[in-house]
Amino acid sequence: MEHFIVSARKYRPQTFKDVVGQQAITNTLLNAIENNHLAQALLFTGPRGVGKTTCARILAKMINERGDENIDDEDFAFNIFELDAASNNSVDDIRNLTDQVRIPPQVGKYKVYIIDEVHMLSQSAFNAFLKTLEEPPKHCIFILATTEKHKIIPTILSRCQIFDFKRITVKDAKEYLKHIAKEQGIEADDDALHIIAQKADGAMRDALSIFDRVVSFSGKNLTRQAVTENLNVLDYETYFKATDLILENKIPELLIQFNTTLSKGFDGHHFIAGLASHFRDLLVCKTPDTIELLEVGEQTKEKYLIQSQKSNQSFLIKGIELANECDLKYKTSKNQRLLVELCLMQLASITHDGEKKNTSHYIIPASYFRQKGIAPIKVNLPKQESTSKNTITTSSSSDEKNKAQSAFAVKETPKIILNKSNRKSSGLSLSSIKKKKEHLIKQMEVVVDEQNLPSDAFTEEAMQEVWNEFVQITKKQGKHILASILEIDTPKLINETTIKVAFPNSTNKIEVERQQYDLLAHIRKSLNNYSISLEIDVNEELEKQYAFTPQDKYNKLKERNPNIDLLRKTFDLDI
């Protein structure tokens, strides 16, 4: 059985021309060698797997090349010393290194010391290395390599010529993988290689390791389906199908697709983040100048262009906003699956224009999918009071009435929009009509138009009286702390509909904010004005007013129980 060599070692570059994606650095090093401008201390820094150690080895061989001698001559290996700082990070290791530095090379012109993961050296080891690094012998060159430059002390950095290696682009990684696949006689889809390059995240070594793994799985024919299955990544087709369902407002099918995705072992966070990226790619395709930002294969790019024409820009921007909001809330959510499902329903409701949307997080009602034949019914106020409380006079035909009644019977009523126009007078009072309208809104769960809700005028005294009524109700319910807080300040009207109240500290403010909806509901209903709002402030001066002295506290206790004064006098107690 032939010994297998992984691609990362088998195809390791032997010259600067073979190095992928680092042309700026390799050209600089070549010019430095040719012009004899090479520094004696170099620092190669950058992400993993981008060619730092490879370039250090190539440089070490090239600077010792002489005349007609081959660069692969094994004699040069005696002049190259590799030190792993992760396992040799003590002061003694550095002292041994400095002792070896004094000995000149036996073959060649330079001794090259490659110190990998140099950021792992201890503080003492760094300090012991400073003098040698600043003034090394003329026959020594130090090449330091690290993935975390910020961990190296500034005195070391200032003594080195720094080369920042960049991540390998998806395009460069894909082209190199295509070259290797051709060398090995493997037929590989362009999209399959593109997915591998994306999965590598800028590291060529990772890309080659993934390539070996997928080849072991699929053999000599590398397809997109085999790559996505083996790497357990969500295919583009998943997002194309999800977007089509969203554009067609098919919420049930969309939720089923999401459930299928979860059953394959994928994470909901991964799905929603990928959907946001998919919307971003569709947005990029809307303008020809930005298509080059789309990092996908040519076949997939055609699919993006087709789907981008189906979706308008406003939908994509709103979709990205909702998906990002879900992405931010995912880790802190107690029910993560429900969070993603709600986001998907909101996304599928963006382009739905069957009804008036009263919120930015609108979701198509379930009745729309069960009874698609029922159109929204516009209800006018009744001309005459009916003898039956459940009878509703509508402007629709008798067939529509029968459909509406059947909808009420299964408690899946379509949302009804009240129409105030063409309303004729009746024998009822205005207040009775308004109350009936409010009752109708509550019973039918209609989409409420706030402009049609009652907004009667009221005085500050009436508002304060209603406020005190709520305080008494709160006391009867046993909420004595909330009642005490509401009694701290007298509410005031700062305009026709805004009530302002102040509390001595933020704790009181938060407690009232938690109960403000019940408070506002009581005030609005009592004053028959649904435009009333509440403004809560913190006023530290009030705290001084309510900071009772010991005498005040004693007087308060004495009012409740006069025997306390007798007790104090009997035992001659201080206040």
Side-chain angles (χ1 to χ4, degrees), residues 128-153:
F129 193 37
L130 282 175
K131 191 64 177 176
T132 305
L133 194 64
E134 184 177 10
E135 297 177 359
K138 63 180 181 179
H139 60 265
C140 283
I141 290 180
F142 291 99
I143 304 176
L144 314 181
T146 180
T147 55
E148 301 183 48
K149 184 175 71 173
H150 61 279
K151 291 187 178 180
I152 301 176
I153 61 176

Side-chain angles (χ1 to χ4, degrees), residues 16-76:
F16 281 134
K17 292 181 181 179
D18 299 332
V19 178
V20 179
Q22 308 293 347
Q23 283 75 17
I25 292 176
T26 55
N27 290 340
T28 303
L29 294 174
L30 281 172
N31 292 334
I33 294 172
E34 292 175 2
N35 299 325
N36 198 24
H37 281 178
L38 191 65
Q40 287 191 286
L42 308 174
L43 175 64
F44 292 172
T45 178
R48 69 185 190 282
V50 294
K52 299 185 296 297
T53 306
T54 298
C55 287
R57 290 177 178 177
I58 295 172
L59 178 63
K61 291 180 181 179
M62 289 193 67
I63 59 179
N64 278 319
E65 185 179 8
R66 297 178 302 171
D68 57 352
E69 291 180 343
N70 194 324
I71 193 171
D72 293 326
D73 192 341
E74 292 183 0
D75 289 339
F76 292 123

Side-chain angles (χ1 to χ4, degrees), residues 377 392-394 396-406:
I377 305 172
I392 302 175
T393 305
T394 66
S396 59
S397 63
S398 59
D399 292 337
E400 290 175 330
K401 289 181 183 179
N402 293 333
K403 291 180 180 179
Q405 290 172 358
S406 63

Side-chain angles (χ1 to χ4, degrees), residues 488-490 492 501-505 508 537-547:
I488 290 177
D489 188 31
T490 302
K492 300 175 183 62
V501 64
F503 298 102
N505 54 62
N508 297 148
D537 288 337
V538 175
N539 185 359
E540 295 181 355
E541 293 296 327
L542 291 174
E543 190 168 14
K544 296 179 181 179
Q545 178 182 350
Y546 286 89

Side-chain angles (χ1 to χ4, degrees), residues 190-285:
D190 190 66
D191 286 342
L193 296 178
H194 188 90
I195 293 172
I196 295 174
Q198 276 188 321
K199 185 75 173 177
D201 193 25
M204 197 68 236
R205 183 170 60 236
D206 290 357
L208 292 171
S209 299
I210 295 171
F211 178 80
D212 287 343
R213 169 181 158 190
V214 176
V215 168
S216 299
F217 172 75
S218 59
K220 295 292 184 179
N221 188 15
L222 206 63
T223 62
R224 177 174 57 84
Q225 184 178 358
V227 171
T228 54
E229 183 179 350
N230 185 258
L231 299 182
N232 198 32
V233 296
L234 281 171
D235 195 4
Y236 296 122
E237 292 299 330
T238 302
Y239 294 118
F240 280 120
K241 183 179 178 182
T243 305
D244 285 337
L245 294 175
I246 288 171
L247 291 172
E248 295 169 6
N249 312 121
K250 294 182 177 179
I251 291 180
E253 292 86 344
L254 182 62
L255 295 179
I256 291 172
Q257 190 213 20
F258 176 60
N259 182 68
T260 303
T261 304
L262 293 179
S263 64
K264 293 180 181 179
F266 293 103
D267 185 31
H269 197 186
H270 185 194
F271 179 83
I272 201 67
L275 190 60
S277 299
H278 183 76
F279 288 156
R280 173 261 181 194
D281 292 339
L282 290 175
L283 194 60
V284 162
C285 292

Side-chain angles (χ1 to χ4, degrees), residues 355-572:
E355 299 179 14
K356 180 180 178 182
K357 304 173 188 177
N358 63 334
T359 63
S360 58
H361 296 82
Y362 171 78
I363 295 177
I364 302 173
S367 58
Y368 173 80
F369 302 100
R370 290 192 179 183
Q371 304 173 26
K372 290 186 178 180
I374 300 178
I377 305 172
K378 291 189 176 182
V379 179
N380 293 323
L381 289 176
K383 296 181 180 179
Q384 205 169 11
E385 182 69 9
S386 175
T387 55
S388 175
K389 293 183 180 179
N390 296 327
T391 302
I392 302 175
T393 305
T394 66
S395 59
S396 59
S397 63
S398 59
D399 292 337
E400 290 175 330
K401 289 181 183 179
N402 293 333
K403 291 180 180 179
Q405 290 172 358
S406 63
F408 292 145
V410 295
K411 295 185 179 179
E412 287 288 347
T413 174
K415 295 202 171 183
I416 301 172
I417 304 173
L418 291 177
N419 187 359
K420 194 175 180 180
S421 60
N422 301 325
R423 184 176 67 181
K424 296 184 179 181
S425 61
S426 67
L428 303 175
S429 64
L430 290 175
S431 60
S432 176
I433 294 175
K434 289 178 181 177
K435 287 182 180 180
K436 185 171 182 64
K437 178 181 175 182
E438 294 169 18
H439 178 71
L440 193 63
I441 290 171
K442 184 176 180 181
Q443 294 298 321
M444 296 184 178
E445 299 179 358
V446 299
V447 177
V448 179
D449 187 356
E450 294 182 356
Q451 294 180 353
N452 292 335
L453 288 175
S455 55
D456 294 353
F458 60 93
T459 62
E460 187 175 71
E461 291 75 11
M463 177 272 296
Q464 292 173 353
E465 184 179 348
V466 171
W467 183 283
N468 293 330
E469 287 177 1
F470 183 79
V471 172
Q472 298 304 319
I473 293 172
T474 305
K475 287 182 179 179
K476 292 179 181 179
Q477 293 175 347
K479 301 177 182 178
H480 298 289
I481 295 177
L482 176 61
S484 300
I485 295 173
L486 294 175
E487 289 178 330
I488 290 177
D489 188 31
T490 302
K492 300 175 183 62
L493 274 179
I494 58 175
N495 56 41
E496 293 181 354
T497 59
T498 303
I499 302 172
K500 183 175 181 180
V501 64
F503 298 102
N505 54 62
S506 58
T507 304
N508 297 148
K509 178 183 176 183
I510 293 171
E511 185 65 28
V512 175
E513 284 177 344
R514 289 175 179 171
Q515 306 292 334
Q516 65 175 327
Y517 300 107
D518 294 338
L519 175 60
L520 277 175
H522 176 80
I523 295 174
R524 288 172 176 174
K525 183 176 180 181
S526 300
L527 297 177
N528 205 30
N529 188 319
Y530 286 80
S531 300
I532 296 175
S533 60
L534 185 61
E535 182 178 323
I536 306 173
D537 288 337
V538 175
N539 185 359
E540 295 181 355
E541 293 296 327
L542 291 174
E543 190 168 14
K544 296 179 181 179
Q545 178 182 350
Y546 286 89
F548 296 106
T549 63
Q551 183 66 47
D552 294 334
K553 296 177 182 177
Y554 175 73
N555 293 337
K556 192 70 175 178
L557 291 172
K558 191 168 66 171
E559 289 177 6
R560 294 188 177 181
N561 190 350
N563 293 328
I564 290 179
D565 189 50
L566 177 61
L567 180 66
R568 185 187 68 81
K569 291 178 181 179
T570 303
F571 293 98
D572 193 20

